[in-house]
Amino acid sequence: RKEVEQDPGPFNVPEGATVAFNCTYSNSASQSFFWYRQDCRKEPKLLMSVYSSGNEDGRFTAQLNRASQYISLLIRDSKLSDSATYLCVPIGGKLIFGQGTELSVKP
Amino acid sequence: SAVISQKPSRDICQRGTSLTIQCQVDSQVTMMFWYRQQPGQSLTLIATANQGSEATYESGFVIDKFPISRPNLTFSTLTVSNMSPEDSSIYLCSGSSALGTDTQYFGPGTRLTVL
């Protein structure tokens, strides 16, 4: 089983919609996570750190479910500029990136 | 936060040649890493660049093919040796202040095309 697995998508949503996607992880010792976003042909940039059960930053909410070993990212009121690939990364040791989930927000 | 720059930003190379990519961080970082991102794929860790000693390579990557240097806490180089078209990829450098517990900042990447 891969250390991190994400639904590659693409998730195609209209502007203003709420969208959520999950990241499952195999290492039960993982306690914290990063969510990065990567725009096309650009480097990954940190979106959010999750050190406990969850984190909220404006329109973005991350929730960690340790029992089921997944972390979710919820985006409310989607903007066109949210279109990107979202990468889930367990914190601890080397950073192993998931394959990413592609989000496309349409007008 | 750290600002990371890479040179060159892109290059087109002939099969069999080598290319050295430079990574410069604007502040001292404890950890530096090199990743590869092939078209449509996520990032794959090549190695951890260790200051003053040999890099630590991930499975599938070897020093002869990807020699790495890190002479100090703000600079590292990655060489892609004896290139083939399969090496065409984006190569990214990253740095963080602590192993896995601090944010990793990424350079803009080097887009390599091998003909």
Side-chain angles (χ1 to χ4, degrees):
Chain A
R1 182 180 172 185
K2 289 184 181 177
E3 188 160 338
V4 177
E5 293 201 57
Q6 293 183 252
D7 182 345
F11 283 65
N12 296 307
V13 303
E15 206 173 358
T18 295
V19 61
F21 27 83
N22 289 340
C23 166
T24 59
Y25 59 94
S26 60
N27 184 357
S28 59
S30 296
Q31 298 288 312
S32 311
F33 293 82
F34 292 129
W35 276 104
Y36 279 84
R37 69 169 278 167
Q38 185 174 26
D39 294 283
C40 186
R41 302 169 99 80
K42 300 278 191 180
E43 73 275 21
K45 294 200 173 157
L46 183 68
L47 175 68
M48 183 178 290
S49 306
V50 185
Y51 291 106
S52 58
S53 61
N55 193 8
E56 184 173 334
D57 183 4
R59 298 182 294 110
F60 298 86
T61 300
Q63 289 198 314
L64 174 59
N65 185 319
R66 289 198 175 89
S68 300
Q69 292 186 211
Y70 74 86
I71 182 167
S72 64
L73 180 67
L74 177 81
I75 304 175
R76 291 181 296 277
D77 188 22
S78 301
K79 310 290 185 192
L80 298 177
S81 57
D82 293 333
S83 298
T85 296
Y86 290 83
L87 300 158
C88 163
V89 191
I91 302 172
K94 296 169 290 195
L95 292 193
I96 306 296
F97 285 83
Q99 65 197 93
T101 296
E102 184 183 343
L103 172 65
S104 180
V105 181
K106 308 288 188 185
Chain B
S1 67
V3 176
I4 301 180
S5 59
Q6 284 183 236
K7 288 195 296 187
S9 59
R10 59 177 61 231
D11 208 342
I12 300 173
C13 301
Q14 295 296 322
R15 183 195 299 259
T17 63
S18 297
L19 175 72
T20 295
I21 303 168
Q22 298 181 6
C23 176
Q24 180 74 52
V25 190
D26 70 341
S27 58
Q28 291 187 349
V29 289
T30 305
M31 311 297 298
M32 290 183 76
F33 304 92
W34 286 96
Y35 291 83
R36 180 172 74 183
Q37 187 170 29
Q38 293 180 308
Q41 303 293 315
S42 188
L43 288 81
T44 300
L45 181 62
I46 297 172
T48 302
N50 300 309
Q51 186 206 355
S53 65
E54 192 172 291
T56 305
Y57 290 84
E58 296 301 305
S59 175
F61 298 96
V62 296
I63 188 171
D64 289 346
K65 176 66 176 177
F66 297 101
I68 288 171
S69 78
R70 189 178 173 194
N72 56 53
L73 290 175
T74 62
F75 185 78
S76 178
T77 67
L78 167 76
T79 299
V80 186
S81 303
N82 188 26
M83 288 183 284
S84 67
E86 292 71 35
D87 294 320
S88 297
S89 188
I90 297 173
Y91 292 85
L92 294 132
C93 165
S94 74
S96 73
S97 296
L99 177 59
T101 60
D102 201 5
T103 305
Q104 262 194 35
Y105 296 95
F106 286 85
T110 296
R111 186 176 298 273
L112 171 63
T113 301
V114 184
L115 302 177

